[in-house]
Amino acid sequence: MDTTNVYERGGKCVIRWREGATHRQITLNIPYSKAGIKRAWKIREQHIKSYERGDSREAGKAPTFGKLAQTRLKSGAFSPEWKRSVKGNLNNFWLPLFPVPVDAIQYSDILNLFAGLDRSPKTINNILTAGSGVFELAIKSFWRTDNPAKLYAKDIKLIKRKVDSFTAEERDLILDALEPNHYLFYAIRFYCGLRPSELIALTWADYRNGEFLISKARVRGYDSNTTKTLVDRAVPVHPFVEKLLATTPRQLHDKHIVTTQHGKGFRSATRLSDAFVRAMKQQNVRYRNPYNCRHTCAVMMLEAGMKPGYCANMLGHSKEMFWKVYADWIDKDESEVQRKIWAAIK
C-alpha cells in the first residue's frame, strides 16, 4: 500500500499531491481505516482532477465552493442549530472534496462524493441539503445555472422516515410506566406534537391563555431565539395536558416547564428518549422511535377530522411537507368525504 500520498496522523487520513511545482497536503476528517483510506484516495484523485480541469479553464472568476459556503453560513437568516448542522456537513463531506471554483463542479463529482458513502437516508439528505444551498446561492449570484446536488437528490430514492404511530392503548401504557418528569414531557409530545428541542426549551411564560407559544428551541444546552423552521406558532394545549400542568409544581430556581428530578431544565432530550425506550420494553410495546409520538399526535388529529392545513400549522410543518408525510391518512379521510358527497348528488 502506498503510504506516501495517503498516510495517518492522529488517527485521521492525510492526503498529499502536487499541483505543478507546488506540494499540497490536507488532513481529512476521516478515520484512518480500510474504508477511510479508500475514500481518502478518491478525494486525492478529485483534487488532482480539479487542478487539471482548472488548467484548461479561465480561472479567478467564480469564487471557490468553500468561500461561497462561508458567505451562506454568515447569513443571519438561519438558526444557530441549523448553522451547526450545515457547517458540520460542509466541513466533513463537501469542502475537502471541492476546493475549486463553484462553477467547476460537475454532476459526476457529486456521484463520486456519495459513491460508497455508508450513511442513513436522513444523513444523506442532510449532506445533500448542505451542499445544495451553496449551489443555489451560486445560481442566484449567476456563477452557474444548475444545481448538481439537487439533480442527484432527484435521481436517488431516499427512504423516508416511516410514520408508525402508537395506538391510544400503547400510548397510555407507555405513559403509565414513566416517572413524573418524563411523564409530563411525553404527555405533551403525544397530545400537542411538539418537537423535543421545542419542548425542553418551553418555559412557564410561554404557557398562557390555553396555548403554548413556540418561539425557540434548546439544542446541546443552548437556547436559540428561533424555531427549527424560523416561524413562531401558537399551539393549543389539549385539556388532558392542561390538567397535568395545573398540578405540576413550578421551580423557584428554574423557569422551564419540564425539569429533571433535580428541578433543572434538560440540556438535551437524550435521557428522555432512553426513558421512553425503557418504558416500551417494560410494557411490551413494540419498539418505535420516540419521534413517533409526534406522528401519533398528527394521526390523532387527522382521524378526528381536523383540517390538514390547521394540523400542519399546529405542528410547525409546511403544508407541502405535512401532506407528503401524512398523505395516507389525509387521502383516506378525503376519500370518505368525497364518497358521501357523491352519494348526496341528485
Side-chain angles (χ1 to χ4, degrees):
M1 181 183 294
D2 182 358
T3 58
T4 303
N5 294 315
V6 176
Y7 60 96
E8 184 266 346
R9 177 185 291 167
K12 302 292 185 180
C13 290
V14 181
I15 58 174
R16 296 180 60 190
W17 75 98
R18 291 185 61 174
E19 294 181 358
T22 304
H23 290 274
R24 301 291 186 190
Q25 178 177 295
I26 293 179
T27 300
L28 303 173
N29 189 23
I30 298 175
Y32 191 76
S33 61
K34 185 176 180 180
I37 293 171
K38 184 177 180 180
R39 187 169 171 229
W41 275 106
K42 288 184 178 180
I43 293 176
R44 179 179 179 273
E45 290 171 5
Q46 183 63 39
H47 278 278
I48 294 172
K49 289 179 180 178
S50 297
Y51 169 72
E52 292 172 348
R53 203 161 50 226
D55 284 342
S56 61
R57 60 184 288 119
E58 188 175 359
K61 287 193 173 182
T64 64
F65 182 91
K67 187 173 182 180
L68 211 56
Q70 289 180 348
T71 300
R72 177 167 164 76
L73 287 171
K74 288 178 182 178
S75 170
F78 305 107
S79 63
E81 58 268 24
W82 179 91
K83 285 186 177 181
R84 280 193 292 269
S85 174
V86 171
K87 185 177 180 180
N89 283 320
L90 288 171
N91 285 334
N92 291 333
F93 299 99
W94 290 92
L95 298 186
L97 200 58
F98 298 127
V100 296
V102 69
D103 60 342
I105 301 170
Q106 302 174 5
Y107 183 81
S108 59
D109 298 328
I110 308 300
L111 292 177
N112 289 329
L113 169 61
F114 288 94
L117 191 61
D118 186 18
R119 295 293 190 278
S120 69
K122 181 181 179 181
T123 300
I124 292 293
N125 185 64
N126 289 340
I127 296 170
L128 274 170
T129 299
S132 182
V134 179
F135 288 121
E136 286 298 315
L137 180 57
I139 292 171
K140 292 176 181 178
S141 303
F142 303 102
W143 293 120
R144 61 183 302 140
T145 59
D146 66 324
N147 184 336
K150 185 176 288 187
L151 292 174
Y152 180 79
K154 289 181 179 179
D155 289 344
I156 63 173
K157 292 183 179 180
L158 294 176
I159 301 172
K160 301 297 182 181
R161 175 182 277 169
K162 183 181 178 183
V163 175
D164 194 2
S165 60
F166 296 91
T167 65
E169 292 76 17
E170 289 175 326
R171 175 197 64 205
D172 295 342
L173 281 171
I174 293 170
L175 289 175
D176 288 343
L178 292 169
E179 297 176 4
N181 55 327
H182 299 155
Y183 182 98
L184 179 61
F185 176 84
Y186 281 104
I188 296 175
R189 292 214 64 198
F190 272 125
Y191 285 94
C192 300
L194 302 189
R195 297 182 177 94
S197 59
E198 296 170 344
L199 182 44
I200 61 176
L202 206 60
T203 67
W204 287 105
D206 300 321
Y207 172 50
R208 52 184 181 269
N209 301 321
E211 292 181 330
F212 288 136
L213 177 60
I214 309 302
S215 60
K216 57 186 177 295
R218 171 168 277 204
V219 180
R220 300 182 183 90
Y222 297 96
D223 289 343
S224 68
N225 295 320
T226 60
T227 64
K228 178 181 178 181
T229 56
L230 306 178
V231 177
D232 296 352
R233 69 186 192 279
V235 176
V237 180
H238 191 280
F240 178 79
V241 174
E242 284 191 312
K243 290 181 181 179
L244 288 178
L245 293 175
T247 58
T248 298
R250 303 193 183 195
Q251 305 295 331
L252 295 176
H253 54 281
D254 196 286
K255 59 187 178 179
H256 293 92
I257 292 178
V258 178
T259 59
T260 68
Q261 60 181 345
H262 303 295
K264 296 183 179 180
F266 285 92
R267 289 179 58 83
S268 74
T270 302
R271 291 185 179 180
L272 290 157
S273 295
D274 294 341
F276 189 86
V277 173
R278 289 195 299 270
M280 276 190 291
K281 185 175 181 179
Q282 178 182 328
Q283 299 290 53
N284 293 319
V285 173
R286 178 172 58 83
Y287 174 81
R288 268 153 282 182
N289 190 303
Y291 197 85
N292 281 288
C293 295
R294 182 167 158 86
H295 290 321
T296 301
C297 179
V299 171
M300 177 179 67
M301 291 189 292
L302 290 171
E303 290 183 338
M306 294 174 67
K307 297 292 186 182
Y310 180 83
C311 296
N313 291 336
M314 178 174 164
L315 292 175
H317 275 303
S318 67
K319 291 179 175 60
E320 178 185 7
M321 179 57 69
F322 187 84
W323 192 281
K324 183 184 300 184
V325 175
Y326 302 105
D328 291 343
W329 284 269
I330 296 171
D331 289 341
K332 180 177 65 176
D333 293 342
E334 285 299 315
S335 296
E336 182 62 27
V337 171
Q338 298 308 313
R339 279 194 293 269
K340 289 181 179 179
I341 294 174
W342 176 252
I345 294 176
K346 297 181 179 178

